[in-house]
Amino acid sequence: MIARAWAWWRRRTVLVDFAIMLPVLAWSALVFGAAPPVGRDYGEAWYVVLTLALCLPLIWRRRWPRAVFVIVAAVCGVQWLAHIAALPANIAILIVLYTVAAWCPFRWGVAAAVVAEIGAFMEVTQQWTGPWREMRGPLLFLSVVVGGVWILGVYMNTRRAYLRSLEERAARLERERDTRVQVAMAAERARIARELHDVVAHNVSVIVVQADGAGFAIETDRDRAKQALEAISATGRTALAEMRRLLGVLRESDDAGSYVPQPGVEQLTDLVDQIRASGLPLRFEIDGVPRELSQGLQLTVFRIVQEALTNTLKHAGTGATAEVNLHYGDEAVEVRICDDGRGAAALDDGQGHGLVGMRERVAMYGGAAQARPRPGGGWEVVARLPVRDGART
């Protein structure tokens, strides 16, 4: 409401200035009716012309403040040369002085104040016929008036600049907030993309392994083939559930959705059982005293194990075995996943991003991760995550 009222006022500045001019004209008419101006007798017509010449430019004082000040000052100069005493309309010089000081740069306000002060001195020296010491009072009074008007204009100019800076700052902060929101959204989408990669890569690898086993056993061992197909079905449903949960986060309009909790250390047992069901012999050990970890740190541990075991299924080859070791230390938790498969001899298509995402996750918690071939064959993934840093996340 206030903003609309201010915009309406700004659009009607000409009418406002016209309304300011009317009291000056009325005052001039009353003064002329009571006592004609002192000076040479130029007649009533010249009095009206001079008054209008001083007041009419005020209508455009906001649009062209410096030009209006020059016009009013020139009219006052002509009035001084014609030896016409000060009129009520001469207050226009103070109005335009305020306008220049309030709307123009500081140097123009100073120049206008100097011109107005010189004009006041000229008027006093011309109209005052007494001794100089008696002239100081009127001159001091006019100087105080000119200085007060100028100070008021400078104050309004400074206040306007301050308010403008506040508006610019608010707009800049709003843009920065929007940028931060966009960056956060992009980071969240990147995290979800990594989550989707881990989910899809792991579950599809399990499904492929189970499907291959079912294909070989369907003619010779129907029970084993049936178990493989059941594992494929369960793995597919699990993958769909996790994908729905992750993709549901991207639905910005759905704020009321409830999603399955993120997997953590407790779900490692289910992950190990799933890998064992796919046909990979796997040993899982936990060393040290288990401690409370943040949800984000637990998710990182889970995804590291999941990614490493997925790579084992894809690249270790038949007959390989794997081992997962989770060690709780005083200052860090360490997870080690190793296998005795092909190791460095395994084929790499160069299109995977699992190891890169793994290192990004670990680096986010101030830890370190290594993925390297083992001496004598096989592959090893070791990740060390500081517990203190992770607990604060």
Side-chain angles (χ1 to χ4, degrees):
M1 180 69 69
I2 297 176
R4 289 196 296 268
W6 176 251
W8 178 86
W9 179 274
R10 291 285 301 275
R11 288 194 298 268
R12 288 157 177 80
T13 53
V14 174
L15 297 178
V16 173
D17 292 331
F18 183 78
I20 293 176
M21 181 191 68
L22 290 179
V24 179
L25 291 176
W27 184 23
S28 300
L30 291 176
V31 171
F32 180 78
V38 179
R40 298 183 180 179
D41 188 11
Y42 289 96
E44 298 179 1
W46 284 104
Y47 179 83
V48 174
V49 170
L50 185 60
T51 300
L52 293 177
L54 289 170
C55 294
L56 286 179
L58 296 179
I59 300 177
W60 300 278
R61 67 185 180 93
R62 296 178 189 266
R63 184 172 297 181
W64 301 294
R66 286 173 291 187
V68 171
F69 180 84
V70 171
I71 293 173
V72 173
V75 172
C76 290
V78 172
Q79 178 184 355
W80 183 81
L81 292 176
H83 296 277
I84 299 177
L87 306 176
N90 286 118
I91 198 176
I93 193 67
L94 298 178
I95 297 176
V96 292
L97 170 62
Y98 165 82
T99 304
V100 172
W103 292 91
C104 297
F106 180 76
R107 62 180 184 275
W108 291 104
V110 173
V114 171
V115 172
E117 186 65 29
I118 293 174
F121 178 79
M122 294 170 59
E123 177 65 19
V124 170
T125 55
Q126 184 184 71
Q127 301 298 330
W128 196 266
T129 57
W132 167 253
R133 66 180 61 181
E134 297 179 0
M135 192 185 305
R136 290 181 297 184
L139 182 60
L140 180 61
F141 172 77
L142 291 179
S143 299
V144 170
V145 171
V146 171
V149 171
W150 176 76
I151 292 175
L152 178 61
V154 171
Y155 168 76
M156 295 302 298
N157 196 342
T158 305
R159 180 176 177 81
R160 189 176 295 108
Y162 174 71
L163 294 177
R164 186 164 54 249
S165 66
L166 289 181
E167 293 176 356
E168 294 175 355
R169 180 183 178 186
R172 184 176 67 254
L173 291 177
E174 186 175 356
R175 291 193 300 269
E176 292 177 356
R177 183 198 62 186
D178 294 340
T179 302
R180 286 195 298 268
V181 170
Q182 293 175 2
V183 171
M185 291 175 61
E188 180 67 11
R189 279 164 172 75
R191 185 190 67 81
I192 293 173
R194 290 195 297 267
E195 296 286 334
L196 283 175
H197 168 268
D198 295 340
V199 170
V200 173
H202 168 72
N203 290 284
V204 171
S205 298
V206 173
I207 289 173
V208 170
V209 172
Q210 295 283 1
D212 291 340
F216 284 113
I218 194 170
E219 297 293 340
T220 59
D221 191 348
R222 292 182 177 273
D223 292 336
R224 187 174 181 181
K226 182 180 179 181
Q227 293 178 357
L229 292 176
E230 291 176 352
I232 290 174
S233 177
T235 303
R237 282 193 292 268
T238 302
L240 288 175
E242 289 201 49
M243 289 178 64
R244 289 193 190 100
R245 174 180 57 81
L246 292 173
L247 294 176
V249 179
L250 298 177
R251 298 177 181 175
E252 299 177 357
S253 60
D254 187 7
D255 297 331
S258 59
Y259 307 112
V260 179
Q262 294 278 18
V265 176
E266 296 179 356
Q267 283 71 38
L268 284 177
T269 304
D270 298 334
L271 176 64
V272 169
D273 293 340
Q274 186 184 35
I275 296 298
R276 286 171 179 166
S278 67
L280 176 66
L282 177 61
R283 185 174 64 179
F284 178 48
E285 296 180 350
I286 298 179
D287 298 332
V289 179
R291 57 192 304 174
E292 186 69 23
L293 301 178
S294 67
Q295 184 62 38
L297 190 59
Q298 292 191 47
L299 176 61
T300 299
V301 172
F302 181 88
R303 293 306 185 197
I304 290 173
V305 176
Q306 185 183 54
E307 177 62 29
L309 293 179
T310 300
N311 290 335
T312 299
L313 287 173
K314 292 169 62 177
H315 305 296
T318 58
T321 61
E323 180 181 347
V324 176
N325 179 267
L326 179 61
H327 176 73
Y328 288 94
D330 294 334
E331 297 183 356
V333 58
E334 183 178 278
V335 57
R336 182 186 301 269
I337 307 97
C338 57
D339 62 70
D340 56 1
R342 289 194 293 259
L347 297 177
D348 185 6
D349 56 7
Q351 297 179 358
H353 301 282
L355 295 178
V356 176
M358 183 189 305
R359 293 190 179 96
E360 289 179 354
R361 289 178 182 274
V362 175
M364 184 173 61
Y365 290 93
Q370 293 181 343
R372 60 201 174 194
R374 297 176 64 191
W379 195 267
E380 182 182 50
V381 175
V382 180
R384 189 176 188 274
L385 297 161
V387 175
R388 294 178 181 175
D389 293 341
R392 291 195 300 267
T393 303

